[in-house]
Amino acid sequence: QVQLVESGGGLVQTGGSLRLSCTASGSIWRINAMAWYRQAPGKERELVAAIAELGSTNYTDSVKGRFTISRDNTKNTVYLQMNSLRPEDTAVYYCNADVETNPWIAQVAYWGQGTQVTVSS
């Protein structure tokens, strides 16, 4: 079993910054891609940013130049540095990780419980 625990959400004013963290623990042999998703009220969950095991990244257009995803493979942790926050960034942010629990079983996608980010205007 694998658990993802997020932290770092909160309330911030427009233009402010927050840093989200997500640490994976449990029966982990290897973590492939890690990502952050978000879901605003009444909207579908969307991919915000993703990072491969060796560090290549991908961002949704609305956060490019403002958000930075990074990871520390020694700590099984992924981060999301969010700068220049806007009210439209308000959402529950979810961590996602593609985890192999042993070399003979295909990876499984795990999710964190979500952390609320609220940006006030």
Side-chain angles (χ1 to χ4, degrees):
Q1 191 72 341
V2 175
Q3 298 82 38
L4 301 182
V5 178
E6 300 132 337
S7 62
L11 173 65
V12 65
Q13 291 185 334
T14 296
S17 298
L18 285 173
R19 188 190 194 211
L20 306 183
S21 299
C22 171
T23 299
S25 62
S27 181
I28 297 170
W29 180 69
R30 180 177 180 176
I31 301 178
N32 296 314
M34 303 184 82
W36 289 95
Y37 287 74
R38 67 186 179 188
Q39 188 166 19
K43 295 188 177 181
E44 294 186 353
R45 190 173 297 189
E46 66 169 347
L47 175 66
V48 176
I51 184 167
E53 183 182 12
L54 296 182
S56 61
T57 59
N58 182 46
Y59 297 91
T60 192
D61 286 345
S62 63
V63 308
K64 286 180 180 177
R66 300 189 298 123
F67 292 9
T68 302
I69 189 171
S70 60
R71 64 190 286 174
D72 184 338
N73 292 334
T74 67
K75 298 180 179 178
N76 291 335
T77 299
V78 62
Y79 306 95
L80 186 67
Q81 178 66 44
M82 305 184 293
N83 298 328
S84 302
L85 283 161
R86 305 167 180 169
E88 54 263 40
D89 295 318
T90 295
V92 178
Y93 283 70
Y94 296 91
C95 173
N96 168 271
D98 293 331
V99 180
E100 297 178 39
T101 54
N102 66 63
W104 303 280
I105 297 179
Q107 66 184 28
V108 173
Y110 290 89
W111 292 89
Q113 79 285 357
T115 185
Q116 177 70 46
V117 171
T118 302
V119 184
S120 63
S121 58

Coordinates of all heavy atoms in Angstrom, one line a residue, residues 9-61:
G9 N -1.2 24.0 1.5 CA -2.3 24.8 1.1 C -2.6 25.9 2.0 O -2.1 25.9 3.2
G10 N -3.5 26.8 1.6 CA -4.0 27.8 2.5 C -4.6 29.0 1.8 O -5.0 28.8 0.6
L11 N -4.8 30.1 2.5 CA -5.4 31.3 2.0 C -4.3 32.3 1.7 O -3.5 32.6 2.6 CB -6.4 31.8 3.0 CG -7.0 33.2 2.6 CD1 -7.9 33.1 1.4 CD2 -7.9 33.7 3.8
V12 N -4.3 32.9 0.5 CA -3.3 33.9 0.1 C -4.0 35.0 -0.7 O -5.0 34.7 -1.4 CB -2.2 33.2 -0.6 CG1 -2.6 32.6 -2.0 CG2 -1.0 34.1 -0.8
Q13 N -3.5 36.2 -0.7 CA -4.0 37.2 -1.5 C -3.5 37.1 -3.0 O -2.4 36.5 -3.2 CB -3.6 38.6 -0.9 CG -4.3 38.9 0.4 CD -4.0 40.3 0.9 OE1 -2.9 40.9 0.5 NE2 -4.9 40.8 1.7
T14 N -4.2 37.8 -3.9 CA -3.7 37.8 -5.3 C -2.3 38.3 -5.4 O -2.0 39.3 -4.7 CB -4.7 38.7 -6.1 OG1 -6.0 38.2 -6.1 CG2 -4.2 38.9 -7.5
G15 N -1.5 37.6 -6.1 CA -0.1 38.0 -6.3 C 0.8 37.3 -5.3 O 2.1 37.4 -5.4
G16 N 0.2 36.6 -4.3 CA 1.1 35.9 -3.3 C 1.6 34.6 -3.8 O 1.4 34.2 -5.0
S17 N 2.3 33.9 -2.9 CA 2.9 32.6 -3.2 C 2.6 31.5 -2.2 O 2.3 31.9 -1.0 CB 4.4 32.8 -3.3 OG 4.8 33.7 -4.3
L18 N 2.6 30.3 -2.7 CA 2.4 29.1 -1.8 C 3.3 28.0 -2.3 O 3.6 28.0 -3.6 CB 1.0 28.6 -1.7 CG 0.0 29.4 -0.9 CD1 -1.4 28.9 -1.1 CD2 0.3 29.4 0.6
R19 N 3.7 27.1 -1.4 CA 4.5 26.0 -1.9 C 3.8 24.7 -1.3 O 3.7 24.6 -0.1 CB 5.9 26.0 -1.3 CG 6.8 25.0 -1.9 CD 8.1 24.9 -1.2 NE 9.2 24.1 -1.9 CZ 10.1 23.4 -1.3 NH1 10.2 23.4 0.0 NH2 11.0 22.7 -2.0
L20 N 3.4 23.9 -2.2 CA 2.8 22.6 -1.9 C 3.8 21.5 -1.9 O 4.8 21.5 -2.7 CB 1.7 22.2 -2.9 CG 0.6 23.3 -3.1 CD1 -0.5 22.7 -4.1 CD2 -0.1 23.7 -1.8
S21 N 3.7 20.6 -0.9 CA 4.5 19.4 -0.9 C 3.7 18.2 -0.8 O 2.6 18.2 -0.3 CB 5.4 19.5 0.4 OG 6.2 20.6 0.4
C22 N 4.2 17.1 -1.3 CA 3.5 15.8 -1.3 C 4.6 14.7 -1.2 O 5.5 14.6 -2.0 CB 2.7 15.6 -2.6 SG 2.0 13.9 -2.8
T23 N 4.4 13.9 -0.1 CA 5.4 12.8 0.2 C 4.7 11.5 0.1 O 3.6 11.3 0.7 CB 6.0 13.0 1.6 OG1 6.7 14.2 1.6 CG2 7.0 11.9 1.9
A24 N 5.3 10.6 -0.7 CA 4.8 9.2 -0.8 C 5.5 8.3 0.2 O 6.7 8.4 0.4 CB 5.1 8.7 -2.2
S25 N 4.8 7.4 0.8 CA 5.3 6.4 1.7 C 4.6 5.1 1.5 O 3.6 5.0 0.9 CB 5.2 6.9 3.1 OG 3.8 7.1 3.5
G26 N 5.3 4.0 2.1 CA 4.7 2.7 2.0 C 5.5 1.8 1.2 O 6.8 1.9 1.1
S27 N 4.9 0.8 0.5 CA 5.6 -0.2 -0.3 C 6.0 0.3 -1.6 O 5.3 0.1 -2.6 CB 4.7 -1.4 -0.4 OG 5.4 -2.5 -1.1
I28 N 7.1 1.0 -1.7 CA 7.5 1.7 -2.9 C 8.8 1.1 -3.4 O 9.8 1.0 -2.7 CB 7.8 3.2 -2.7 CG1 6.4 3.9 -2.3 CG2 8.3 3.9 -4.0 CD1 6.6 5.3 -1.8
W29 N 8.8 0.6 -4.7 CA 10.0 0.2 -5.4 C 10.6 1.3 -6.2 O 11.7 1.5 -6.3 CB 9.8 -1.1 -6.1 CG 11.0 -1.6 -6.8 CD1 12.1 -2.1 -6.2 CD2 11.3 -1.6 -8.2 NE1 13.1 -2.5 -7.2 CE2 12.6 -2.2 -8.4 CE3 10.6 -1.2 -9.4 CZ2 13.1 -2.3 -9.7 CZ3 11.1 -1.4 -10.6 CH2 12.4 -1.9 -10.7
R30 N 9.6 1.9 -7.0 CA 10.0 3.0 -7.9 C 8.9 3.9 -8.1 O 7.7 3.5 -8.2 CB 10.5 2.4 -9.2 CG 10.9 3.4 -10.3 CD 11.4 2.6 -11.5 NE 11.8 3.6 -12.5 CZ 12.4 3.2 -13.7 NH1 12.5 1.9 -13.9 NH2 12.7 4.0 -14.6
I31 N 9.1 5.2 -8.2 CA 8.1 6.2 -8.5 C 8.5 6.8 -9.9 O 9.6 7.3 -10.1 CB 8.0 7.3 -7.5 CG1 7.7 6.8 -6.1 CG2 6.9 8.4 -7.9 CD1 7.6 7.9 -5.0
N32 N 7.6 6.7 -10.8 CA 7.8 7.2 -12.2 C 7.3 8.7 -12.2 O 7.8 9.5 -11.4 CB 7.1 6.3 -13.2 CG 7.7 4.9 -13.2 OD1 9.0 4.8 -13.2 ND2 6.9 3.9 -13.2
A33 N 6.3 9.0 -13.0 CA 5.9 10.4 -13.0 C 5.1 10.8 -11.8 O 4.5 10.0 -11.1 CB 4.9 10.6 -14.2
M34 N 5.3 12.0 -11.4 CA 4.5 12.6 -10.3 C 3.9 13.9 -10.9 O 4.4 14.5 -11.8 CB 5.4 13.0 -9.1 CG 6.2 11.8 -8.6 SD 7.2 12.2 -7.1 CE 5.9 12.0 -5.8
A35 N 2.7 14.3 -10.3 CA 2.0 15.4 -10.9 C 1.1 16.1 -9.8 O 0.8 15.5 -8.8 CB 1.1 14.9 -12.0
W36 N 0.7 17.3 -10.2 CA -0.3 18.0 -9.4 C -1.5 18.2 -10.3 O -1.3 18.7 -11.4 CB 0.3 19.3 -8.9 CG 1.3 19.2 -7.8 CD1 2.6 19.1 -7.9 CD2 1.0 19.0 -6.4 NE1 3.2 19.0 -6.7 CE2 2.2 18.9 -5.8 CE3 -0.2 19.0 -5.7 CZ2 2.3 18.8 -4.4 CZ3 -0.1 18.8 -4.3 CH2 1.2 18.7 -3.7
Y37 N -2.7 17.9 -9.8 CA -3.9 18.2 -10.4 C -4.7 19.2 -9.5 O -4.4 19.4 -8.3 CB -4.8 17.0 -10.6 CG -4.3 16.0 -11.6 CD1 -3.1 15.3 -11.5 CD2 -5.0 15.9 -12.8 CE1 -2.7 14.4 -12.4 CE2 -4.6 15.0 -13.8 CZ -3.4 14.3 -13.6 OH -3.0 13.4 -14.6
R38 N -5.7 19.9 -10.1 CA -6.6 20.7 -9.3 C -8.0 20.6 -9.7 O -8.3 20.3 -10.9 CB -6.1 22.2 -9.3 CG -6.3 22.9 -10.6 CD -5.6 24.2 -10.6 NE -5.7 24.9 -11.8 CZ -5.1 26.1 -12.1 NH1 -4.4 26.7 -11.1 NH2 -5.3 26.7 -13.3
Q39 N -8.9 20.8 -8.8 CA -10.3 20.8 -9.1 C -11.0 22.0 -8.4 O -11.0 22.0 -7.2 CB -11.0 19.5 -8.7 CG -12.4 19.3 -9.2 CD -12.9 17.9 -9.0 OE1 -12.3 17.1 -8.3 NE2 -13.9 17.6 -9.8
A40 N -11.6 22.8 -9.2 CA -12.3 24.0 -8.7 C -13.8 23.6 -8.6 O -14.3 22.7 -9.3 CB -12.2 25.2 -9.6
P41 N -14.6 24.3 -7.8 CA -16.0 23.9 -7.6 C -16.7 24.0 -8.9 O -16.6 24.9 -9.7 CB -16.5 25.0 -6.7 CG -15.3 25.4 -5.9 CD -14.2 25.3 -6.8
G42 N -17.5 22.9 -9.2 CA -18.2 22.8 -10.5 C -17.4 22.5 -11.7 O -18.0 22.6 -12.8
K43 N -16.1 22.3 -11.6 CA -15.3 22.0 -12.7 C -14.7 20.6 -12.6 O -14.6 20.0 -11.5 CB -14.2 23.1 -12.9 CG -14.8 24.5 -13.2 CD -13.6 25.4 -13.5 CE -14.2 26.8 -13.8 NZ -13.1 27.8 -14.2
E44 N -14.2 20.1 -13.7 CA -13.5 18.8 -13.8 C -12.1 19.0 -13.2 O -11.5 20.1 -13.3 CB -13.5 18.3 -15.2 CG -14.9 17.9 -15.7 CD -14.8 17.2 -17.0 OE1 -13.7 17.1 -17.6 OE2 -15.8 16.7 -17.5
R45 N -11.5 17.9 -12.8 CA -10.2 17.9 -12.3 C -9.3 18.1 -13.5 O -9.4 17.4 -14.6 CB -9.8 16.6 -11.6 CG -8.5 16.6 -10.9 CD -8.3 15.3 -10.1 NE -9.3 15.2 -9.0 CZ -9.2 14.3 -8.0 NH1 -8.2 13.4 -8.0 NH2 -10.2 14.3 -7.1
E46 N -8.2 18.9 -13.4 CA -7.3 19.2 -14.5 C -5.9 19.0 -14.1 O -5.5 19.3 -12.9 CB -7.5 20.6 -15.1 CG -7.2 21.7 -14.1 CD -7.1 23.1 -14.8 OE1 -7.1 23.2 -16.0 OE2 -7.1 24.1 -14.0
L47 N -5.1 18.7 -15.0 CA -3.6 18.5 -14.8 C -3.0 19.9 -14.7 O -3.2 20.8 -15.6 CB -3.0 17.7 -15.9 CG -1.4 17.6 -15.8 CD1 -1.0 16.9 -14.6 CD2 -0.9 17.0 -17.1
V48 N -2.3 20.2 -13.7 CA -1.6 21.5 -13.5 C -0.1 21.4 -14.0 O 0.3 22.2 -14.8 CB -1.6 21.9 -12.0 CG1 -0.8 23.2 -11.9 CG2 -3.0 22.1 -11.5
A49 N 0.6 20.4 -13.5 CA 2.0 20.2 -13.8 C 2.4 18.8 -13.5 O 1.8 18.1 -12.6 CB 2.9 21.1 -13.0
A50 N 3.3 18.3 -14.3 CA 3.8 16.9 -14.1 C 5.3 16.9 -14.3 O 5.9 17.8 -15.0 CB 3.2 16.0 -15.2
I51 N 6.0 15.9 -13.6 CA 7.4 15.8 -13.7 C 7.8 14.3 -13.8 O 7.3 13.5 -13.0 CB 8.1 16.5 -12.5 CG1 9.6 16.4 -12.6 CG2 7.6 15.9 -11.2 CD1 10.3 17.4 -11.6
A52 N 8.6 14.0 -14.7 CA 9.1 12.6 -14.9 C 10.2 12.3 -13.9 O 10.7 13.1 -13.2 CB 9.6 12.4 -16.3
E53 N 10.5 11.0 -13.8 CA 11.5 10.5 -12.8 C 12.8 11.3 -13.0 O 13.4 11.6 -12.0 CB 11.7 9.0 -13.0 CG 12.6 8.5 -11.9 CD 12.9 7.0 -12.1 OE1 12.5 6.4 -13.1 OE2 13.4 6.4 -11.1
L54 N 13.2 11.5 -14.2 CA 14.5 12.2 -14.4 C 14.4 13.7 -14.5 O 15.4 14.3 -14.8 CB 15.2 11.6 -15.7 CG 15.5 10.1 -15.6 CD1 16.2 9.6 -16.9 CD2 16.4 9.8 -14.4
G55 N 13.2 14.2 -14.4 CA 13.1 15.7 -14.2 C 12.4 16.5 -15.3 O 12.2 17.7 -15.1
S56 N 12.1 15.9 -16.4 CA 11.4 16.6 -17.4 C 10.0 17.0 -17.0 O 9.4 16.3 -16.2 CB 11.3 15.9 -18.7 OG 10.6 14.7 -18.6
T57 N 9.6 18.2 -17.3 CA 8.4 18.8 -16.8 C 7.4 19.2 -17.9 O 7.7 19.4 -19.0 CB 8.7 20.0 -15.9 OG1 9.3 21.0 -16.7 CG2 9.5 19.7 -14.8
N58 N 6.1 19.3 -17.5 CA 5.1 19.7 -18.4 C 4.1 20.5 -17.6 O 3.8 20.2 -16.4 CB 4.4 18.5 -19.0 CG 3.3 18.9 -19.9 OD1 3.5 19.7 -20.8 ND2 2.1 18.2 -19.8
Y59 N 3.6 21.6 -18.1 CA 2.7 22.5 -17.4 C 1.4 22.8 -18.3 O 1.5 22.9 -19.5 CB 3.3 23.9 -17.1 CG 4.5 23.8 -16.2 CD1 5.8 23.6 -16.7 CD2 4.3 23.8 -14.8 CE1 6.9 23.5 -15.8 CE2 5.4 23.8 -13.9 CZ 6.7 23.6 -14.5 OH 7.8 23.5 -13.6
T60 N 0.3 23.0 -17.6 CA -0.8 23.6 -18.4 C -0.6 25.0 -18.7 O 0.1 25.7 -17.9 CB -2.1 23.4 -17.5 OG1 -3.2 23.7 -18.4 CG2 -2.2 24.3 -16.3
D61 N -1.1 25.5 -19.8 CA -0.8 26.9 -20.2 C -1.0 28.0 -19.2 O -0.3 28.9 -19.1 CB -1.5 27.2 -21.5 CG -1.0 26.4 -22.7 OD1 0.1 25.9 -22.6 OD2 -1.7 26.4 -23.8

